[in-house]
Amino acid sequence: MPNITFEINPNLAAAATTYSSLVWLPPASPVTNAWSGYLDATTTGTWFLTGSAGTATGCNLATPYPFPQLKTALNDGGAQPTLYTTAVGKGRDNMWIGAVDGLRINKTIYDFEASEVKTHRAN
């Protein structure tokens, strides 16, 4: 399965950094050789932070957190994290052949088509 990586400024006082990768590790694919339904990264899979943000929060590759716990770890009373970029990635473990479609970030859905990426407002 692919992962989703957000490059962020975690805005953590304890991390003293302006950069970390926030990575979603999806659960196992619910189906094989067919399209799956939408996967909700706020309720499935786990998340981790790279670098000093991962160390400061304890949410790193060795101990990934579910989304509610990640949100708590990033809320240290300061500014909210800032999103820089988003990428779909794939680790080096097993081959994965597929596509990502309907990526939702907050209230925007990104619909990937052959000729363009369309955006839709989520309700």
Side-chain angles (χ1 to χ4, degrees):
M1 293 288 290
N3 62 52
I4 307 294
T5 302
F6 299 95
E7 292 180 318
I8 66 168
N9 177 345
N11 286 319
L12 291 169
T17 184
T18 58
Y19 179 84
S20 179
S21 291
L22 170 60
V23 182
W24 176 60
L25 302 171
S29 178
V31 297
T32 56
N33 297 323
W35 285 99
S36 72
Y38 288 109
L39 301 176
D40 184 346
T42 65
T43 60
T44 64
T46 55
W47 294 83
F48 72 90
L49 295 157
T50 62
S52 62
T55 302
T57 60
C59 179
N60 52 46
L61 183 57
T63 56
Y65 289 178
F67 191 70
Q69 190 176 351
L70 166 74
K71 284 177 51 178
T72 299
L74 285 170
N75 184 8
D76 69 350
Q80 292 184 343
T82 303
L83 176 65
Y84 294 137
T85 66
T86 305
V88 176
K90 176 63 186 91
R92 300 178 296 184
D93 51 359
N94 298 304
M95 181 174 69
W96 178 78
I97 298 170
V100 173
D101 196 18
L103 177 64
R104 178 178 172 173
I105 301 173
N106 296 324
K107 298 280 185 184
T108 304
I109 298 172
Y110 299 90
D111 184 10
F112 300 98
E113 301 297 336
S115 62
E116 64 183 316
V117 178
K118 296 178 181 179
T119 59
H120 307 279
R121 181 107 173 124
N123 294 328

